[in-house]
């Protein structure tokens, strides 16, 4: 009999379109361990965990829970066996409160007489695991980090023994990540186990006990975290050595491209989220905006993209006031807009690559056959070029974007945005969810755009990324820019203090 808490044996998954996502994968999870699952974009991590959680069925292979062969038809079956998962894209109901979301589907009436006991039970779990959740707040008003805690709590309330987290840290601040890790460690101390998917090698080494690496759908290595090094892991993932450092030369910024003056923007709740922000950005320059998420960066980006109303102040792009323009009009003035949540605003998941790349360009001359008809041949040729230039991995240009891996979805957005030769690039969380080699690729691409003279505003919760790429670093705190510092004068300590609102 197996002593594993969970085991996958010989799992193969062939999707209906013929994509072989997993090949004969063996995976073992011990009791009370945090197990890292690594692999490049498209390696099969999400597919494997979806099979374990009963969302999809394997083509071949078996799953065992505490030695017992199980066959899940749906997540409900997996939950009954004590397996829960927080998916890569959250699945909460925005207009419900956190509490309502947590009990949803359990039969507990959130307004019924059993509600109070349930609340107490949930609060006990929060206390034991250090999860902080405002139970009565509507989920749509919560930050990504808090939403994630709601999802985790939802699983823990169902008393899972195995918690699967698919890239949980990609939208978390360093601080939230630390909090998540202490929660995971407390779960481990309770004898539960976690399957932790991430692209950040540092995190894997910090929190995991063991690591399984997938490459192109097959297991390429299993190792104890304490015996591994970042370079070893990167090599197992990619099959070659990966350069983990970037070299950035000094730049000579040119004329001013973007000027933001006294910008005020309100959030969904009507609060001032951006409170009088001013900065300018020049040709051939990267201005990085650091800060704990939720300090106005999102609203700033949305205002610059034309999807959130400017309450007062000015945004001048190429000397044209773009406040009040639509995203399409702003792009025409010379902007490329890479949004932070590609699945919400960057892509239409059920459309294929061609349709997604055409988004916003459907009236462009180069894609028209007559005055109003789109020439799909022209579109296809264009998309094929982008697929090649950006190494997008997709079976065909008619594949729906939903079935691409996260990293390849991101490349679709970026390729579309850069294909119009913008003068200004707004890059929000550009490497979120990307694997090591795609991250390397994307960061180099940003540096390449800079040397081509583009003005780049980089908004990223990844402080390492901001420090590596930026010429100047601005720190946002509570809707204001605390300071803008040339990167050669920057220290992590100083940025850390500014991020916490300490300015001296
Ligand atoms: N529904 C689907 N239909 C067809 N192919 C799919 C589907 N879902 C995923 N794939 C393909 O299966 C392979 C594995 O995808 P998966 O999402 O498991 O990768 P991943 O390791 O989670 O990647 P990422 O790090 O980018 O999230 C990829 O080639 C992907 O394009
Ligand atoms: Mg995935």
């Amino acid at each position: 009999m197996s002593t594993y808490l969970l085991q996958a044996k010989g799992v193969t998954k062939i999707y209906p379109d013929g994509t072989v996502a997993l090949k004969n994968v063996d995976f073992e999870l011990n009791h009370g361990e945090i197990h890292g699952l690594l692999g490049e974009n498209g390696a099969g991590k999400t597919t494997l965990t979806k099979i374990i959680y009963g969302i999809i069925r394997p083509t071949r292979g078996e799953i065992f829970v505490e030695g017992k062969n199980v066959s899940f038809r749906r997540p409900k079956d997996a939950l009954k066996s004590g397996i829960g998962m927080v998916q890569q894209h959250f699945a909460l109901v925005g207009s419900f409160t956190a509490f309502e979301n947590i009990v949803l589907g359990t039969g507990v009436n959130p307004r019924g007489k059993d509600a109070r006991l349930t609340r107490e039970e949930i609060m006990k779990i929060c206390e034991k695991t250090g999860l902080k959740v405002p139970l009565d707040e509507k989920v749509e008003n919560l930050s990504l980090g808090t939403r994630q805690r709601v999802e985790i709590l939802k699983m823990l309330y169902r008393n899972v023994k195995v918690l699967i987290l698919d890239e949980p840290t990609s939208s978390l601040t360093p601080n939230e990540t630390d909090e998540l890790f202490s929660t995971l460690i407390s779960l481990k101390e309770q004898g539960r186990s976690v399957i932790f998917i991430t692209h950040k090698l540092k995190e894997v080494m910090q929190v995991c006990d063991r690591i399984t690496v997938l490459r192109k759908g097959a297991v390429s290595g299993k190792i104890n975290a304490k015996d591994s090094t970042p370079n070893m892991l990167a090599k197992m993932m990619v099959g070659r050595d990966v350069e983990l450092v970037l070299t950035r030369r000094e730049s000579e910024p040119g004329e001013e491209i973007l000027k933001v003056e006294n910008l005020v923007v309100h959030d969904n709740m009507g609060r001032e989220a951006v409170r009088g922000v001013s900065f300018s950005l020049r040709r051939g320059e990267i201005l990085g905006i650091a800060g704990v998420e939720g300090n106005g960066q999102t609203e700033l980006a949305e205002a610059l993209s034309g999807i959130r109303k400017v309450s007062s102040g000015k945004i001048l792009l190429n000397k044209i006031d773009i406040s009040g323009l639509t995203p399409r009009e702003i792009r025409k003035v010379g902007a490329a807009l890479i949004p932070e949540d590609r699945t919400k605003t960057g892509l239409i998941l059920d459309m294929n690559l061609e349709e997604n790349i055409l988004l916003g360009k459907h009236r462009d001359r180069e894609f028209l056959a007559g005055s109003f008809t789109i020439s799909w041949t022209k579109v296809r040729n264009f998309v094929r070029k982008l697929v090649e230039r950006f190494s997008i991995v997709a079976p065909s240009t008619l594949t729906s974007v939903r079935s691409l891996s996260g990293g390849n979805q991101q490349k679709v957005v970026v390729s579309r945005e850069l294909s119009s030769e913008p003068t200004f690039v707004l890059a929000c969380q550009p490497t979120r969810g990307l694997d090591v080699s795609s991250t390397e690729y994307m960061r180099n691409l940003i540096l390449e755009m800079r040397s081509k003279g583009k003005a780049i505003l980089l908004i990223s919760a990844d402080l390492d990324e901001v420090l590596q790429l930026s010429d100047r670093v601005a720190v946002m705190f509570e809707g204001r820019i605390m300071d803008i510092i040339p990167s050669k004068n920057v220290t992590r300590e100083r940025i850390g203090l500014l991020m916490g609102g300490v300015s001296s």
Side-chain angles (χ1 to χ4, degrees):
M1 205 193 91
S2 149
T3 54
Y4 298 118
L5 175 49
L6 181 110
Q7 186 180 18
K9 261 192 188 167
V11 169
T12 292
K13 175 69 188 180
I14 305 171
Y15 280 109
D17 67 355
T19 304
V20 184
L22 295 173
K23 285 175 263 188
N24 211 8
V25 165
D26 292 331
F27 172 81
E28 300 83 21
L29 182 70
N30 290 319
H31 289 268
E33 76 165 344
I34 303 179
H35 196 118
L37 187 55
L38 285 179
E40 288 190 281
N41 291 127
K45 304 177 297 295
T46 298
T47 301
L48 177 61
T49 48
K50 276 183 173 168
I51 288 173
I52 294 173
Y53 187 46
I55 298 174
I56 54 177
R57 295 179 53 90
T59 311
R60 279 193 293 281
E62 293 170 308
I63 307 287
F64 299 85
V65 178
E66 298 187 301
K68 199 171 134 253
N69 194 340
V70 292
S71 166
F72 301 142
R73 299 196 151 270
R74 52 187 73 85
K76 229 180 185 159
D77 303 337
L79 282 167
K80 268 191 212 131
S81 295
I83 297 168
M85 173 164 173
V86 176
Q87 294 197 53
Q88 205 164 356
H89 310 299
F90 296 161
L92 296 170
V93 185
S95 56
F96 283 12
T97 64
F99 180 61
E100 287 164 345
N101 269 287
I102 291 165
V103 300
L104 190 68
T106 59
V108 172
N109 176 355
R111 281 179 205 83
K113 55 181 183 319
D114 43 358
R116 230 195 56 207
L117 276 178
T118 309
R119 271 182 94 88
E120 278 168 17
E121 207 178 314
I122 292 174
M123 270 144 70
K124 245 187 232 143
I125 302 174
C126 290
E127 222 166 279
K128 267 214 290 216
T129 53
L131 286 168
K132 281 179 247 143
V133 169
L135 288 177
D136 298 312
E137 190 71 62
K138 277 191 185 165
V139 160
E140 62 195 8
N141 300 329
L142 300 178
S143 71
L144 286 175
T146 316
R147 283 184 205 196
Q148 180 182 74
R149 291 199 284 272
V150 176
E151 294 250 24
I152 293 175
L153 201 48
K154 186 170 173 159
M155 289 301 134
L156 296 182
Y157 175 62
R158 283 155 182 74
N159 203 17
V160 297
K161 288 178 286 200
V162 177
L163 179 66
I164 305 169
L165 300 172
D166 195 351
E167 296 194 33
T169 59
S170 58
S171 49
L172 298 189
T173 61
N175 209 344
E176 285 175 326
T177 302
D178 288 342
E179 283 174 16
L180 172 68
F181 287 174
S182 49
T183 299
L184 298 189
I185 288 164
S186 80
L187 293 179
K188 176 171 125 176
E189 283 162 357
Q190 297 166 18
R192 304 180 207 234
S193 297
V194 177
I195 301 175
F196 174 51
I197 301 179
T198 180
H199 290 294
K200 297 183 190 163
L201 302 179
K202 226 166 58 181
E203 295 182 345
V204 177
M205 320 224 19
Q206 184 184 345
V207 76
C208 293
D209 301 298
R210 288 195 309 136
I211 301 162
T212 296
V213 185
L214 292 177
R215 181 161 80 228
K216 300 194 161 90
V219 174
S220 61
K222 295 180 190 178
I223 189 168
N224 285 323
K226 64 175 185 338
D227 303 328
S228 68
T229 65
N231 284 312
M232 258 164 84
L233 295 174
K235 194 167 179 175
M236 277 189 207
M237 287 162 63
V238 184
R240 64 173 168 89
D241 283 311
V242 179
E243 189 67 52
L244 291 172
V245 282
L246 274 183
T247 40
R248 201 176 60 86
R249 281 179 293 270
E250 282 307 307
S251 77
E252 294 264 322
E255 76 269 13
E256 187 177 86
I257 300 285
L258 180 76
K259 189 170 180 63
V260 174
E261 276 175 13
N262 262 319
L263 188 71
V264 176
V265 182
H266 287 80
D267 68 10
N268 290 345
M269 312 274 283
R271 293 177 297 222
E272 257 187 27
V274 177
R275 303 157 75 185
V277 160
S278 303
F279 62 88
S280 83
L281 175 62
R282 292 154 64 184
R283 242 181 91 82
E285 183 188 43
I286 301 175
L287 173 63
I289 298 201
V292 174
E293 228 164 330
N295 277 281
Q297 301 94 314
T298 304
E299 289 79 8
L300 170 65
E302 289 174 352
L304 292 169
S305 313
I307 54 177
R308 182 174 291 278
K309 205 175 139 254
V310 170
S311 303
S312 66
K314 264 193 203 154
I315 309 170
L316 298 172
L317 174 58
N318 294 320
K319 306 212 162 56
I320 296 170
D321 191 351
I322 59 163
S323 51
L325 299 190
T326 65
R328 186 178 142 80
E329 289 163 342
I330 292 172
R331 287 190 172 94
K332 283 269 179 265
V333 181
L337 308 169
I338 302 168
E340 69 173 35
D341 188 349
R342 58 181 172 255
T343 57
K344 225 170 73 191
T345 49
L347 296 168
I348 298 180
L349 291 179
D350 288 318
M351 287 192 177
N352 65 35
L353 249 77
E354 294 181 10
E355 292 160 331
N356 269 288
I357 300 255
L358 195 64
L359 282 178
K361 295 184 193 291
H362 56 286
R363 282 180 238 164
D364 290 7
R365 271 247 186 81
E366 64 173 310
F367 300 123
L368 295 183
S371 349
F372 298 107
T373 16
I374 290 167
S375 160
W376 286 101
T377 319
K378 287 182 185 169
V379 175
R380 184 153 313 155
N381 288 336
F382 181 78
V383 174
R384 282 196 180 137
K385 267 188 228 143
L386 291 185
V387 165
E388 196 182 307
R389 177 164 160 226
F390 290 88
S391 339
I392 299 170
V393 181
S396 105
T397 58
L398 295 174
T399 305
S400 100
V401 165
R402 187 182 292 285
S403 70
L404 298 188
S405 75
N408 284 299
Q409 291 178 352
Q410 178 72 341
K411 286 186 183 177
V412 172
V413 177
V414 171
S415 70
R416 178 187 67 215
E417 293 300 317
L418 297 184
S419 64
S420 56
E421 293 302 328
T423 50
F424 164 59
V425 180
L426 172 63
C428 302
Q429 321 294 354
T431 61
R432 180 171 281 176
L434 299 198
D435 63 39
V436 272
S437 49
S438 301
T439 296
E440 177 198 29
Y441 174 88
M442 200 61 72
R443 290 186 182 158
N444 277 311
L445 187 67
I446 289 174
L447 290 177
E448 185 191 315
M449 291 187 291
R450 163 180 175 266
S451 49
K452 282 189 178 153
K454 311 207 181 303
I456 299 157
L457 185 65
L458 168 70
I459 301 184
S460 175
D462 184 336
L463 188 54
D464 292 325
E465 176 162 280
V466 171
L467 295 178
Q468 265 182 20
L469 297 177
S470 312
D471 299 297
R472 290 184 299 143
V473 180
V475 180
M476 268 187 98
F477 177 73
E478 294 189 340
R480 294 200 171 88
I481 287 186
M482 298 288 290
D483 203 355
I484 303 183
I485 313 169
S487 63
K488 53 179 184 295
N489 304 337
V490 158
T491 61
R492 289 186 74 91
E493 291 66 35
R494 174 123 167 76
I495 299 279
L497 284 173
L498 290 169
M499 283 169 71
V502 180
S503 61
S504 68

